[in-house]
Amino acid sequence: MFFFKKKASEKTREDKELVEQNNKAIEALLVLADGNEYLTDQLKELQEKLKYLIATETKEVQSCDKKIRDLIGDMRIALTKGDGETTKKAENLLTQIKLTLADRNAKI
């Protein structure tokens, strides 16, 4: 039986793709948040931070990137619903994304 272990360069490439996907997903959130100036400003700030993330092969950092992807997906759902309560939820998710990003940066 053979066990396949990914090379470091392949892990880094996968993480780079995930970072790029997260950055592009913010564009969709910006469209959904149109009209909410606070949320739009915060998303633009977040997008700027995501743009310059360095891909890595570290599992802990990659798990943070995956968590950010999941939170962005949750935020997309919250903004799609569009009522006042979900806007609060979107703001809470934005805070969670920022915390996860800070955690990611601490692990590098």
Side-chain angles (χ1 to χ4, degrees), residues 89-102:
K89 184 175 181 180
E91 290 174 2
N92 290 338
L93 287 167
L94 181 62
T95 302
Q96 289 179 8
I97 292 169
K98 288 181 179 181
L99 290 172
T100 305
L101 184 61

Side-chain angles (χ1 to χ4, degrees), residues 42-104:
Q42 293 296 311
L43 286 169
K44 286 180 182 178
E45 181 182 313
L46 178 64
Q47 186 178 33
E48 195 65 26
K49 290 178 183 178
L50 290 174
K51 186 188 300 185
Y52 297 107
L53 290 181
I54 298 170
T56 182
E57 65 184 63
T58 309
K59 287 183 180 183
E60 293 85 13
V61 173
Q62 289 178 351
S63 70
C64 287
D65 289 334
K66 290 176 183 175
K67 184 175 180 182
I68 290 170
R69 178 194 62 203
D70 295 342
L71 289 169
I72 288 172
D74 292 345
M75 190 171 182
R76 186 177 189 156
I77 292 168
L79 288 172
T80 302
K81 291 182 181 179
D83 59 11
E85 186 177 317
T86 56
T87 301
K88 259 188 169 173
K89 184 175 181 180
E91 290 174 2
N92 290 338
L93 287 167
L94 181 62
T95 302
Q96 289 179 8
I97 292 169
K98 288 181 179 181
L99 290 172
T100 305
L101 184 61
D103 188 35
R104 180 200 192 276

Side-chain angles (χ1 to χ4, degrees), residues 2-73:
F2 294 100
F3 293 99
F4 176 72
K5 188 173 180 181
K6 291 183 181 179
K7 294 181 182 178
S9 61
E10 187 176 336
K11 289 180 185 178
T12 303
R13 181 186 53 78
E14 289 174 358
D15 192 48
K16 182 179 180 186
E17 290 172 359
L18 183 57
V19 167
E20 289 173 0
Q21 288 173 358
N22 287 343
N23 190 28
K24 290 177 184 176
I26 298 295
E27 287 296 325
L29 294 179
L30 285 168
V31 171
L32 292 170
D34 189 36
N36 185 334
E37 189 175 325
Y38 170 77
L39 202 54
T40 302
D41 291 342
Q42 293 296 311
L43 286 169
K44 286 180 182 178
E45 181 182 313
L46 178 64
Q47 186 178 33
E48 195 65 26
K49 290 178 183 178
L50 290 174
K51 186 188 300 185
Y52 297 107
L53 290 181
I54 298 170
T56 182
E57 65 184 63
T58 309
K59 287 183 180 183
E60 293 85 13
V61 173
Q62 289 178 351
S63 70
C64 287
D65 289 334
K66 290 176 183 175
K67 184 175 180 182
I68 290 170
R69 178 194 62 203
D70 295 342
L71 289 169
I72 288 172

